[in-house]
Amino acid sequence: ITDVYAWAEGDKLLLVLNVSPLATPDSKFSDAVQYALHVESSAGYGMAGTAKDVVCTFDAAQAIQCWVGDPGGKVDDSVKGDASAPAGLPSDSGKIKVFAGLRADPFYFNLAGFQDAVSTVKGALATDPLPFTVDGSGCPELDPNTATTLIQQLQGTNMGSGAAENFFGAVNVLSIVLEIDKALLTGGGNTVAVWGSTHQAGG
């Protein structure tokens, strides 16, 4: 799993589960894996909620089957077939629509700048095992010059002299995108928490 996204649009909840970093046009969803999004709806943060699962599997030909329902229990709705068309594959009820396929990785990360900052810290540690003072929580307390140097490196490339570059700008993931009627997922209230997981199919 690379990322999980969730947001609401009108009476729909949009859920995205991205997997397979650095995916290529030849990459495929595994037919031995269940791809799951777990949703808990409640009346407010910190309050007990109602759980629903959205589980998707693929066959060797990449046909998808997704179902929405109680964890390990009753299925409320499902969809099955070829979900590779950009418009998505709707369920018979129209309450679920799913797309599955290759998409640009939406995550932004300046890997070169991060590696520059790591190199700077490692260099400091090589000459002095304790180059930074720490606060009561054990976190480093950086002097203004060191902090500025590291920030410049994290925001650029070539040790801060060049512009930042998005390492993920030209790479892809395999994406499962679901549009689901809120009524299927918000029985416990309009505050929604979402997390993703993968499991061995049949396990």
Side-chain angles (χ1 to χ4, degrees):
I1 296 174
T2 63
D3 299 290
V4 173
Y5 301 95
W7 70 97
E9 288 185 4
D11 62 353
K12 307 291 186 182
L13 192 64
L14 284 296
L15 305 175
V16 180
L17 180 67
N18 288 338
V19 298
S20 301
L22 308 181
T24 72
D26 295 325
S27 298
K28 293 185 177 182
F29 294 97
S30 174
D31 60 0
V33 171
Q34 289 184 338
Y35 301 89
L37 286 155
H38 310 278
V39 179
E40 183 172 334
S41 60
S42 67
Y45 293 107
M47 301 178 69
T50 299
K52 290 289 183 178
D53 282 347
V54 182
V55 181
C56 297
T57 59
F58 294 83
D59 65 18
Q62 296 296 277
I64 195 172
Q65 180 172 5
C66 297
W67 57 95
V68 178
D70 299 333
K74 178 175 72 73
V75 172
D76 298 321
D77 201 359
S78 63
V79 60
K80 182 178 183 179
D82 180 1
S84 63
L89 172 71
S91 63
D92 290 341
S93 70
K95 294 181 179 180
I96 303 173
K97 188 190 294 184
V98 61
F99 164 83
L102 192 70
R103 282 292 179 262
D105 192 329
F107 190 74
Y108 181 95
F109 187 58
N110 179 24
L111 179 62
F114 176 78
Q115 290 173 332
D116 286 345
V118 168
S119 176
T120 297
V121 172
K122 284 184 175 180
L125 292 172
T127 58
D128 183 352
L130 294 172
F132 310 117
T133 59
V134 296
D135 62 18
S137 300
C139 296
E141 292 182 321
L142 303 179
D143 62 81
N145 287 338
T146 301
T148 298
T149 295
L150 292 176
I151 289 170
Q152 288 173 341
Q153 290 174 355
L154 289 169
Q155 293 179 338
T157 54
N158 297 320
M159 290 299 183
S161 64
E165 297 174 356
N166 180 17
F167 172 77
F168 293 103
V171 301
N172 299 308
V173 292
L174 291 180
S175 190
I176 301 171
V177 182
L178 292 134
E179 180 184 87
I180 303 173
D181 276 18
K182 284 183 182 177
L184 290 176
L185 298 173
T186 57
N190 288 326
T191 300
V192 176
V194 181
W195 60 282
S197 65
T198 56
H199 310 269
Q200 183 176 349

